[in-house]
Amino acid sequence: MAISMVESDRERRWPGARVVYGDTDSLFVALPGMTRDAAADAAEEIAAAVTRACPRPVLLKVEKIYDPCVLLAKKRYAGRAFVGGGTKLVAVSTSALGSSSSTSTQQLVRVPRSPFPPRPTFDAKGIETVRRDSCPAAAKMLEGALRI
């Protein structure tokens, strides 16, 4: 559902956005030509739209902005990760006041996000640089090549 939502609204709301990977708990969206701040804002809007469209308790959060990123296969990727910058949308549960029942609704509130760090961190998941079942020399060479 999230993939079709992003793909259908990309020309109107998120120009050039393309979902490169998505499964039950994660979504990678390519946002070509955007600055990190613009990509972070678009990512927050996408996360908010997906959260609104999904039943509770589903909440999609933006964790990182990768610039660049190598996506090898499902759950296997590496890149320069930036965390922070701009504002973010946070889901806040509010109880219906004056109601005898204890119904609550979810409201999205925009709050300041910490600034992007001047230097990104190297982030790798599921590839030989972080796996313990490969040769240490291969892990070091691969990480060196990815950093370059």
Side-chain angles (χ1 to χ4, degrees):
M1 176 172 79
I3 295 170
S4 63
M5 178 184 302
V6 173
E7 298 282 331
S8 66
D9 277 350
R10 72 176 161 201
E11 295 310 318
R12 185 171 49 103
R13 295 168 69 180
W14 310 296
R18 182 175 53 88
V19 176
V20 292
Y21 172 75
D23 66 7
T24 57
D25 64 348
S26 60
L27 189 65
F28 280 71
V29 180
L31 299 164
M34 289 189 180
T35 64
R36 276 184 220 113
D37 287 327
D41 290 342
E44 291 295 343
E45 290 174 14
I46 290 168
V50 170
T51 298
R52 280 192 302 271
C54 292
R56 287 187 67 211
V58 174
L59 175 64
L60 187 63
K61 295 180 184 178
V62 176
E63 290 182 5
K64 301 169 190 148
I65 302 295
Y66 287 101
D67 183 21
C69 179
V70 176
L71 183 62
L72 299 172
K74 181 178 180 178
K75 304 286 185 190
R76 299 184 61 188
Y77 55 90
R80 294 185 317 164
F82 291 87
V83 180
T87 61
K88 62 182 176 180
L89 291 168
V90 177
V92 177
S93 294
T94 56
S95 298
L97 299 175
S99 174
S100 59
S101 65
S102 60
T103 60
S104 65
T105 60
Q106 200 174 45
Q107 181 180 6
L108 295 171
V109 178
R110 192 171 285 277
V111 297
R113 186 183 320 140
S114 61
F116 282 121
R119 297 181 60 124
T121 58
F122 177 76
D123 189 31
K125 302 285 188 247
I127 62 173
E128 284 73 9
T129 61
V130 293
R131 293 175 58 112
R132 299 180 196 273
D133 61 350
S134 66
C135 172
K140 285 184 179 185
M141 286 191 307
L142 179 60
E143 183 172 336
L146 286 169
R147 285 180 182 271
I148 290 169

